[in-house]
Amino acid sequence: MHFFNRYSGITQDTTATYNVKFYKIMSIRLYIGNLSFDATGDDLREIFANCGEVEEAIIVTRPGGGRPRGFGFVTMEDSEGADEAIRQLDGQEFAGRKLTVNVAKEREQRDAD
């Protein structure tokens, strides 16, 4: 489809102007609970990679870089990988503990009292 650009007076082919990157499927962030305190982000990345493309894997630690808090987050590239990870890994044992895997919820806002 062509249209006339009133500013430059040039016609442009609009069928070739879109970029495929705009149609990227949103990534899905998963909550991973009941983790061993010895688990690392690399461990999470490795076990979740079997379900799909992992964008990020983190273990949450106490402020100041302290001891792990026993949970983390994995960001999967797409919903298919996230669904597969939940199906395969929720309730599975990892490092002696049964994992809890579900879609992460938005963090609630705290009052600044």
Side-chain angles (χ1 to χ4, degrees):
M1 169 173 30
H2 292 279
F3 71 93
F4 182 76
N5 183 329
R6 66 185 175 140
Y7 300 108
S8 65
I10 300 171
T11 60
Q12 183 177 14
D13 183 2
T14 59
T15 58
T17 59
Y18 68 90
N19 188 336
V20 175
K21 290 181 183 177
F22 289 127
Y23 298 103
K24 182 179 184 289
I25 298 171
M26 273 185 68
S27 52
I28 305 293
R29 189 170 188 163
L30 300 175
Y31 165 83
I32 318 303
N34 201 31
L35 286 170
S36 163
F37 294 122
D38 296 326
T40 66
D42 289 337
D43 292 336
L44 289 180
R45 183 176 291 278
E46 185 178 322
I47 63 171
F48 279 81
N50 294 327
C51 302
E53 187 68 32
V54 175
E55 291 182 354
E56 180 183 43
I58 61 168
I59 301 289
V60 177
T61 58
R62 298 204 183 279
R67 149 185 162 153
R69 296 183 61 193
F71 68 94
F73 296 96
V74 172
T75 304
M76 302 297 289
E77 184 177 76
D78 56 33
S79 61
E80 289 83 13
D83 291 342
E84 187 64 19
I86 292 169
R87 190 182 69 71
Q88 282 188 24
L89 300 173
D90 186 42
Q92 291 298 311
E93 193 169 303
F94 173 71
R97 302 183 80 165
K98 287 191 177 192
L99 296 178
T100 299
V101 181
N102 52 43
V103 175
K105 295 178 181 155
E106 289 292 320
R107 189 172 185 178
E108 293 181 16
Q109 295 293 328
R110 292 185 179 180
D111 291 335
D113 292 331

